[in-house]
Amino acid sequence: MKKILILFLVVFSLNFSFELKKENLKIVKNKSLKISEEEMKNQSEKIVEIFDKEILDRIESQNKGIEYSENTNFITGFFKANVPDVLMNNKVYEKTIYEIEKINFISKNKVEVIYTEKLPNIFKIMFSEEFNKMLEDKVSKELGYKLDNEKIQKLSNEERMKANAIILSEYQNEMIKILDSNQFEYMTNKNKMILERKKKGWEYKDEETLESDGFDIFDSMFEILENNLNK
């Protein structure tokens, strides 16, 4: 039953609501670079604005993947299942925290932005025995029978749609309860974003992950969705 439920619940998105911290921001430069403290401070304000915009653009791009999946449906080995809606996604990313730790001026036209991303470890919840047992009991109660591989193969299309709706609904309800009560652990990524200054101002150039305790499955799912959008 656990594997069956997981098949329905593997797609999540970022949302436009997140927290950005910069209280402990350090502004530094290469020792050989000649630039005033005032200029670094002024440019850093613009850099923070571009950072914020880049995160929002990234979120919008990922949400397009969710919209694509909502329109085409997510195909599992058992059912044709719609992905979770934005309500759950909003709850996840209301808890997400971005913190800019350092802006390092490599040159007057190139900076490194070191930041951490802390978001609820929904995967740890999703794959836990306790959560799946609770979800299995609730779904079985709603359906009026226990859902297993043999039973699934015998379901009519109407029964499959009903089971699909109940599984997603119960999952979302329970996950939102967990998020609202802050009963979760964070997973943290430390990243380095490269920005370069062009004629029109600072622009995103590149990024790399410095440290991570998250799940690769998160980015992999969105990569698949975005690839589908670009076909």
Side-chain angles (χ1 to χ4, degrees), residues 32-57:
S32 59
L33 179 61
K34 294 182 179 180
I35 183 173
S36 68
E37 295 290 333
E38 183 179 0
E39 184 177 356
M40 285 197 299
K41 182 179 179 181
N42 291 336
Q43 292 302 320
S44 292
E45 292 177 357
K46 298 176 182 179
I47 288 165
V48 170
E49 291 179 2
I50 296 301
F51 174 88
D52 187 68
K53 182 180 181 300
E54 172 59 28
I55 297 298
L56 290 174
D57 288 346

PDB file of all heavy atoms in Angstrom, residues 32-57:
ATOM      1  N   SER A  32      42.508  42.528  -4.090  1.00  0.00           N
ATOM      2  CA  SER A  32      43.120  43.392  -5.112  1.00  0.00           C
ATOM      3  C   SER A  32      42.117  44.328  -5.791  1.00  0.00           C
ATOM      4  O   SER A  32      42.505  45.214  -6.561  1.00  0.00           O
ATOM      5  CB  SER A  32      43.787  42.525  -6.184  1.00  0.00           C
ATOM      6  OG  SER A  32      42.827  41.667  -6.800  1.00  0.00           O
ATOM      7  N   LEU A  33      40.823  44.145  -5.499  1.00  0.00           N
ATOM      8  CA  LEU A  33      39.797  44.938  -6.172  1.00  0.00           C
ATOM      9  C   LEU A  33      39.686  46.328  -5.544  1.00  0.00           C
ATOM     10  O   LEU A  33      39.538  46.472  -4.336  1.00  0.00           O
ATOM     11  CB  LEU A  33      38.438  44.229  -6.087  1.00  0.00           C
ATOM     12  CG  LEU A  33      37.253  44.962  -6.723  1.00  0.00           C
ATOM     13  CD1 LEU A  33      37.478  45.159  -8.219  1.00  0.00           C
ATOM     14  CD2 LEU A  33      35.949  44.212  -6.458  1.00  0.00           C
ATOM     15  N   LYS A  34      39.739  47.351  -6.385  1.00  0.00           N
ATOM     16  CA  LYS A  34      39.597  48.725  -5.919  1.00  0.00           C
ATOM     17  C   LYS A  34      38.146  49.175  -6.097  1.00  0.00           C
ATOM     18  O   LYS A  34      37.707  49.470  -7.213  1.00  0.00           O
ATOM     19  CB  LYS A  34      40.544  49.642  -6.696  1.00  0.00           C
ATOM     20  CG  LYS A  34      42.016  49.362  -6.449  1.00  0.00           C
ATOM     21  CD  LYS A  34      42.902  50.334  -7.204  1.00  0.00           C
ATOM     22  CE  LYS A  34      44.381  50.054  -6.919  1.00  0.00           C
ATOM     23  NZ  LYS A  34      45.257  50.993  -7.657  1.00  0.00           N
ATOM     24  N   ILE A  35      37.428  49.193  -4.995  1.00  0.00           N
ATOM     25  CA  ILE A  35      36.031  49.612  -4.992  1.00  0.00           C
ATOM     26  C   ILE A  35      35.704  50.130  -3.595  1.00  0.00           C
ATOM     27  O   ILE A  35      36.139  49.569  -2.590  1.00  0.00           O
ATOM     28  CB  ILE A  35      35.095  48.441  -5.386  1.00  0.00           C
ATOM     29  CG1 ILE A  35      33.639  48.912  -5.454  1.00  0.00           C
ATOM     30  CG2 ILE A  35      35.248  47.270  -4.435  1.00  0.00           C
ATOM     31  CD1 ILE A  35      32.685  47.851  -6.007  1.00  0.00           C
ATOM     32  N   SER A  36      34.956  51.204  -3.518  1.00  0.00           N
ATOM     33  CA  SER A  36      34.663  51.818  -2.218  1.00  0.00           C
ATOM     34  C   SER A  36      33.578  51.039  -1.469  1.00  0.00           C
ATOM     35  O   SER A  36      32.787  50.314  -2.075  1.00  0.00           O
ATOM     36  CB  SER A  36      34.198  53.259  -2.421  1.00  0.00           C
ATOM     37  OG  SER A  36      32.929  53.287  -3.060  1.00  0.00           O
ATOM     38  N   GLU A  37      33.569  51.225  -0.153  1.00  0.00           N
ATOM     39  CA  GLU A  37      32.549  50.598   0.680  1.00  0.00           C
ATOM     40  C   GLU A  37      31.161  51.101   0.289  1.00  0.00           C
ATOM     41  O   GLU A  37      30.189  50.335   0.272  1.00  0.00           O
ATOM     42  CB  GLU A  37      32.811  50.900   2.160  1.00  0.00           C
ATOM     43  CG  GLU A  37      34.087  50.302   2.718  1.00  0.00           C
ATOM     44  CD  GLU A  37      33.993  48.790   2.837  1.00  0.00           C
ATOM     45  OE1 GLU A  37      32.852  48.287   2.988  1.00  0.00           O
ATOM     46  OE2 GLU A  37      35.033  48.118   2.781  1.00  0.00           O
ATOM     47  N   GLU A  38      31.078  52.369  -0.023  1.00  0.00           N
ATOM     48  CA  GLU A  38      29.793  52.959  -0.394  1.00  0.00           C
ATOM     49  C   GLU A  38      29.253  52.351  -1.681  1.00  0.00           C
ATOM     50  O   GLU A  38      28.058  52.032  -1.785  1.00  0.00           O
ATOM     51  CB  GLU A  38      29.930  54.473  -0.558  1.00  0.00           C
ATOM     52  CG  GLU A  38      28.607  55.161  -0.886  1.00  0.00           C
ATOM     53  CD  GLU A  38      28.752  56.668  -1.020  1.00  0.00           C
ATOM     54  OE1 GLU A  38      29.897  57.172  -0.861  1.00  0.00           O
ATOM     55  OE2 GLU A  38      27.736  57.339  -1.294  1.00  0.00           O
ATOM     56  N   GLU A  39      30.137  52.163  -2.667  1.00  0.00           N
ATOM     57  CA  GLU A  39      29.692  51.580  -3.927  1.00  0.00           C
ATOM     58  C   GLU A  39      29.267  50.131  -3.734  1.00  0.00           C
ATOM     59  O   GLU A  39      28.266  49.680  -4.308  1.00  0.00           O
ATOM     60  CB  GLU A  39      30.792  51.658  -4.987  1.00  0.00           C
ATOM     61  CG  GLU A  39      30.321  51.138  -6.348  1.00  0.00           C
ATOM     62  CD  GLU A  39      31.367  51.265  -7.440  1.00  0.00           C
ATOM     63  OE1 GLU A  39      32.453  51.828  -7.152  1.00  0.00           O
ATOM     64  OE2 GLU A  39      31.106  50.802  -8.562  1.00  0.00           O
ATOM     65  N   MET A  40      30.011  49.395  -2.927  1.00  0.00           N
ATOM     66  CA  MET A  40      29.635  47.997  -2.671  1.00  0.00           C
ATOM     67  C   MET A  40      28.268  47.926  -1.995  1.00  0.00           C
ATOM     68  O   MET A  40      27.443  47.062  -2.316  1.00  0.00           O
ATOM     69  CB  MET A  40      30.686  47.303  -1.804  1.00  0.00           C
ATOM     70  CG  MET A  40      31.962  46.955  -2.540  1.00  0.00           C
ATOM     71  SD  MET A  40      32.968  45.734  -1.654  1.00  0.00           S
ATOM     72  CE  MET A  40      33.311  46.612  -0.120  1.00  0.00           C
ATOM     73  N   LYS A  41      28.030  48.830  -1.074  1.00  0.00           N
ATOM     74  CA  LYS A  41      26.750  48.849  -0.366  1.00  0.00           C
ATOM     75  C   LYS A  41      25.610  49.175  -1.325  1.00  0.00           C
ATOM     76  O   LYS A  41      24.561  48.519  -1.315  1.00  0.00           O
ATOM     77  CB  LYS A  41      26.782  49.880   0.763  1.00  0.00           C
ATOM     78  CG  LYS A  41      25.500  49.929   1.569  1.00  0.00           C
ATOM     79  CD  LYS A  41      25.598  50.950   2.701  1.00  0.00           C
ATOM     80  CE  LYS A  41      24.297  51.008   3.491  1.00  0.00           C
ATOM     81  NZ  LYS A  41      24.355  52.006   4.597  1.00  0.00           N
ATOM     82  N   ASN A  42      25.820  50.196  -2.175  1.00  0.00           N
ATOM     83  CA  ASN A  42      24.789  50.583  -3.139  1.00  0.00           C
ATOM     84  C   ASN A  42      24.503  49.467  -4.140  1.00  0.00           C
ATOM     85  O   ASN A  42      23.342  49.169  -4.444  1.00  0.00           O
ATOM     86  CB  ASN A  42      25.207  51.853  -3.885  1.00  0.00           C
ATOM     87  CG  ASN A  42      25.209  53.073  -2.994  1.00  0.00           C
ATOM     88  OD1 ASN A  42      24.521  53.108  -1.976  1.00  0.00           O
ATOM     89  ND2 ASN A  42      25.996  54.084  -3.366  1.00  0.00           N
ATOM     90  N   GLN A  43      25.564  48.844  -4.644  1.00  0.00           N
ATOM     91  CA  GLN A  43      25.383  47.767  -5.606  1.00  0.00           C
ATOM     92  C   GLN A  43      24.760  46.525  -4.954  1.00  0.00           C
ATOM     93  O   GLN A  43      23.995  45.795  -5.587  1.00  0.00           O
ATOM     94  CB  GLN A  43      26.723  47.406  -6.257  1.00  0.00           C
ATOM     95  CG  GLN A  43      27.295  48.472  -7.152  1.00  0.00           C
ATOM     96  CD  GLN A  43      26.349  48.859  -8.277  1.00  0.00           C
ATOM     97  OE1 GLN A  43      25.683  48.004  -8.864  1.00  0.00           O
ATOM     98  NE2 GLN A  43      26.299  50.149  -8.585  1.00  0.00           N
ATOM     99  N   SER A  44      25.073  46.315  -3.688  1.00  0.00           N
ATOM    100  CA  SER A  44      24.525  45.149  -2.979  1.00  0.00           C
ATOM    101  C   SER A  44      23.012  45.233  -2.860  1.00  0.00           C
ATOM    102  O   SER A  44      22.315  44.212  -2.925  1.00  0.00           O
ATOM    103  CB  SER A  44      25.152  45.021  -1.580  1.00  0.00           C
ATOM    104  OG  SER A  44      26.519  44.671  -1.690  1.00  0.00           O
ATOM    105  N   GLU A  45      22.495  46.452  -2.686  1.00  0.00           N
ATOM    106  CA  GLU A  45      21.045  46.622  -2.626  1.00  0.00           C
ATOM    107  C   GLU A  45      20.400  46.203  -3.948  1.00  0.00           C
ATOM    108  O   GLU A  45      19.346  45.555  -3.963  1.00  0.00           O
ATOM    109  CB  GLU A  45      20.709  48.082  -2.306  1.00  0.00           C
ATOM    110  CG  GLU A  45      21.102  48.495  -0.887  1.00  0.00           C
ATOM    111  CD  GLU A  45      20.835  49.957  -0.613  1.00  0.00           C
ATOM    112  OE1 GLU A  45      20.387  50.667  -1.552  1.00  0.00           O
ATOM    113  OE2 GLU A  45      21.061  50.400   0.531  1.00  0.00           O
ATOM    114  N   LYS A  46      21.037  46.563  -5.054  1.00  0.00           N
ATOM    115  CA  LYS A  46      20.533  46.169  -6.371  1.00  0.00           C
ATOM    116  C   LYS A  46      20.673  44.672  -6.576  1.00  0.00           C
ATOM    117  O   LYS A  46      19.807  44.027  -7.171  1.00  0.00           O
ATOM    118  CB  LYS A  46      21.296  46.922  -7.462  1.00  0.00           C
ATOM    119  CG  LYS A  46      21.130  48.434  -7.400  1.00  0.00           C
ATOM    120  CD  LYS A  46      21.995  49.123  -8.445  1.00  0.00           C
ATOM    121  CE  LYS A  46      21.861  50.639  -8.339  1.00  0.00           C
ATOM    122  NZ  LYS A  46      22.728  51.333  -9.337  1.00  0.00           N
ATOM    123  N   ILE A  47      21.762  44.106  -6.063  1.00  0.00           N
ATOM    124  CA  ILE A  47      22.009  42.666  -6.199  1.00  0.00           C
ATOM    125  C   ILE A  47      20.958  41.860  -5.443  1.00  0.00           C
ATOM    126  O   ILE A  47      20.466  40.844  -5.938  1.00  0.00           O
ATOM    127  CB  ILE A  47      23.425  42.335  -5.694  1.00  0.00           C
ATOM    128  CG1 ILE A  47      24.456  42.865  -6.689  1.00  0.00           C
ATOM    129  CG2 ILE A  47      23.606  40.833  -5.477  1.00  0.00           C
ATOM    130  CD1 ILE A  47      25.865  42.921  -6.153  1.00  0.00           C
ATOM    131  N   VAL A  48      20.589  42.331  -4.253  1.00  0.00           N
ATOM    132  CA  VAL A  48      19.544  41.645  -3.478  1.00  0.00           C
ATOM    133  C   VAL A  48      18.222  41.665  -4.236  1.00  0.00           C
ATOM    134  O   VAL A  48      17.476  40.678  -4.249  1.00  0.00           O
ATOM    135  CB  VAL A  48      19.384  42.290  -2.087  1.00  0.00           C
ATOM    136  CG1 VAL A  48      18.145  41.740  -1.375  1.00  0.00           C
ATOM    137  CG2 VAL A  48      20.618  42.035  -1.237  1.00  0.00           C
ATOM    138  N   GLU A  49      17.920  42.786  -4.889  1.00  0.00           N
ATOM    139  CA  GLU A  49      16.694  42.886  -5.687  1.00  0.00           C
ATOM    140  C   GLU A  49      16.709  41.881  -6.836  1.00  0.00           C
ATOM    141  O   GLU A  49      15.689  41.236  -7.125  1.00  0.00           O
ATOM    142  CB  GLU A  49      16.533  44.302  -6.231  1.00  0.00           C
ATOM    143  CG  GLU A  49      16.226  45.348  -5.162  1.00  0.00           C
ATOM    144  CD  GLU A  49      16.108  46.740  -5.749  1.00  0.00           C
ATOM    145  OE1 GLU A  49      16.230  46.875  -6.994  1.00  0.00           O
ATOM    146  OE2 GLU A  49      15.902  47.690  -4.973  1.00  0.00           O
ATOM    147  N   ILE A  50      17.853  41.738  -7.495  1.00  0.00           N
ATOM    148  CA  ILE A  50      17.972  40.798  -8.604  1.00  0.00           C
ATOM    149  C   ILE A  50      17.885  39.357  -8.088  1.00  0.00           C
ATOM    150  O   ILE A  50      17.275  38.487  -8.731  1.00  0.00           O
ATOM    151  CB  ILE A  50      19.295  41.007  -9.371  1.00  0.00           C
ATOM    152  CG1 ILE A  50      19.310  42.389 -10.023  1.00  0.00           C
ATOM    153  CG2 ILE A  50      19.491  39.926 -10.423  1.00  0.00           C
ATOM    154  CD1 ILE A  50      18.170  42.623 -10.998  1.00  0.00           C
ATOM    155  N   PHE A  51      18.485  39.112  -6.951  1.00  0.00           N
ATOM    156  CA  PHE A  51      18.393  37.781  -6.331  1.00  0.00           C
ATOM    157  C   PHE A  51      16.936  37.423  -6.084  1.00  0.00           C
ATOM    158  O   PHE A  51      16.473  36.326  -6.415  1.00  0.00           O
ATOM    159  CB  PHE A  51      19.171  37.763  -5.018  1.00  0.00           C
ATOM    160  CG  PHE A  51      19.014  36.483  -4.246  1.00  0.00           C
ATOM    161  CD1 PHE A  51      19.868  35.411  -4.476  1.00  0.00           C
ATOM    162  CD2 PHE A  51      18.015  36.351  -3.284  1.00  0.00           C
ATOM    163  CE1 PHE A  51      19.719  34.229  -3.764  1.00  0.00           C
ATOM    164  CE2 PHE A  51      17.864  35.170  -2.574  1.00  0.00           C
ATOM    165  CZ  PHE A  51      18.718  34.110  -2.816  1.00  0.00           C
ATOM    166  N   ASP A  52      16.200  38.337  -5.481  1.00  0.00           N
ATOM    167  CA  ASP A  52      14.790  38.117  -5.191  1.00  0.00           C
ATOM    168  C   ASP A  52      14.012  37.842  -6.473  1.00  0.00           C
ATOM    169  O   ASP A  52      13.185  36.926  -6.535  1.00  0.00           O
ATOM    170  CB  ASP A  52      14.217  39.339  -4.471  1.00  0.00           C
ATOM    171  CG  ASP A  52      12.803  39.115  -3.978  1.00  0.00           C
ATOM    172  OD1 ASP A  52      12.609  38.299  -3.054  1.00  0.00           O
ATOM    173  OD2 ASP A  52      11.875  39.740  -4.523  1.00  0.00           O
ATOM    174  N   LYS A  53      14.285  38.624  -7.505  1.00  0.00           N
ATOM    175  CA  LYS A  53      13.598  38.442  -8.795  1.00  0.00           C
ATOM    176  C   LYS A  53      13.956  37.097  -9.411  1.00  0.00           C
ATOM    177  O   LYS A  53      13.094  36.421  -9.999  1.00  0.00           O
ATOM    178  CB  LYS A  53      13.975  39.573  -9.749  1.00  0.00           C
ATOM    179  CG  LYS A  53      13.286  39.500 -11.105  1.00  0.00           C
ATOM    180  CD  LYS A  53      13.684  40.643 -11.999  1.00  0.00           C
ATOM    181  CE  LYS A  53      12.955  40.569 -13.343  1.00  0.00           C
ATOM    182  NZ  LYS A  53      13.227  39.322 -14.090  1.00  0.00           N
ATOM    183  N   GLU A  54      15.213  36.685  -9.296  1.00  0.00           N
ATOM    184  CA  GLU A  54      15.639  35.412  -9.860  1.00  0.00           C
ATOM    185  C   GLU A  54      14.902  34.251  -9.201  1.00  0.00           C
ATOM    186  O   GLU A  54      14.471  33.308  -9.872  1.00  0.00           O
ATOM    187  CB  GLU A  54      17.147  35.241  -9.693  1.00  0.00           C
ATOM    188  CG  GLU A  54      17.680  33.869 -10.077  1.00  0.00           C
ATOM    189  CD  GLU A  54      17.400  33.489 -11.517  1.00  0.00           C
ATOM    190  OE1 GLU A  54      17.293  34.388 -12.374  1.00  0.00           O
ATOM    191  OE2 GLU A  54      17.279  32.275 -11.783  1.00  0.00           O
ATOM    192  N   ILE A  55      14.743  34.309  -7.878  1.00  0.00           N
ATOM    193  CA  ILE A  55      14.017  33.256  -7.176  1.00  0.00           C
ATOM    194  C   ILE A  55      12.563  33.227  -7.635  1.00  0.00           C
ATOM    195  O   ILE A  55      11.992  32.162  -7.889  1.00  0.00           O
ATOM    196  CB  ILE A  55      14.092  33.460  -5.648  1.00  0.00           C
ATOM    197  CG1 ILE A  55      15.543  33.372  -5.163  1.00  0.00           C
ATOM    198  CG2 ILE A  55      13.224  32.431  -4.929  1.00  0.00           C
ATOM    199  CD1 ILE A  55      16.204  32.036  -5.405  1.00  0.00           C
ATOM    200  N   LEU A  56      11.949  34.404  -7.767  1.00  0.00           N
ATOM    201  CA  LEU A  56      10.561  34.482  -8.216  1.00  0.00           C
ATOM    202  C   LEU A  56      10.409  33.946  -9.640  1.00  0.00           C
ATOM    203  O   LEU A  56       9.454  33.234  -9.950  1.00  0.00           O
ATOM    204  CB  LEU A  56      10.057  35.925  -8.143  1.00  0.00           C
ATOM    205  CG  LEU A  56       9.855  36.493  -6.733  1.00  0.00           C
ATOM    206  CD1 LEU A  56       9.492  37.971  -6.810  1.00  0.00           C
ATOM    207  CD2 LEU A  56       8.789  35.719  -5.982  1.00  0.00           C
ATOM    208  N   ASP A  57      11.353  34.282 -10.524  1.00  0.00           N
ATOM    209  CA  ASP A  57      11.315  33.781 -11.905  1.00  0.00           C
ATOM    210  C   ASP A  57      11.450  32.265 -11.928  1.00  0.00           C
ATOM    211  O   ASP A  57      10.788  31.573 -12.714  1.00  0.00           O
ATOM    212  CB  ASP A  57      12.438  34.406 -12.735  1.00  0.00           C
ATOM    213  CG  ASP A  57      12.185  35.874 -13.038  1.00  0.00           C
ATOM    214  OD1 ASP A  57      11.047  36.327 -12.833  1.00  0.00           O
ATOM    215  OD2 ASP A  57      13.135  36.564 -13.462  1.00  0.00           O
TER     216      ASP A  57
END
